[in-house]
Amino acid sequence: MARISLAAATQEVASRDPVLANLVALVGQVGYPPRSNMGHFGALVRSIVFQQLAGAAARSIFNRLEAACNVFS
């Protein structure tokens, strides 16, 4: 499947739906900040850690791992 930009997707949806076209005209293009700067590998590691452990323990262990490896930031 070909990748499409968020701006192109927004325009495509707006061209098909007058209600959404009006919202896009009022609000403008949708933007989204990246969830983190840790990259795909860091996100995968974080996901695995948080699936295996409860929130507080996972956060603590992941923070230690991140500090020790210094590869996710």
Side-chain angles (χ1 to χ4, degrees), residues 1 9 14 26 30 45 49 52 57-59 64-65 67 71-72:
M1 177 178 223
L26 290 171
V30 175
V45 170
V49 169
Q52 300 299 317
R59 189 173 305 104
R64 288 182 203 154
L65 179 63
V71 294
F72 305 130

Side-chain angles (χ1 to χ4, degrees), residues 2 15 17 21 26 28 30 33 35-36 38-41 49-51 54 60-61 69 71-72:
S15 73
D17 187 324
L26 290 171
V30 175
R35 294 180 76 181
S36 73
M38 70 177 70
H40 297 299
F41 178 72
V49 169
F50 275 78
Q51 286 177 6
S60 177
I61 290 170
C69 295
V71 294
F72 305 130

Side-chain angles (χ1 to χ4, degrees), residues 1-6 8-9 32 40:
M1 177 178 223
R3 293 183 63 104
I4 185 168
S5 71
L6 183 58
Y32 58 95
H40 297 299

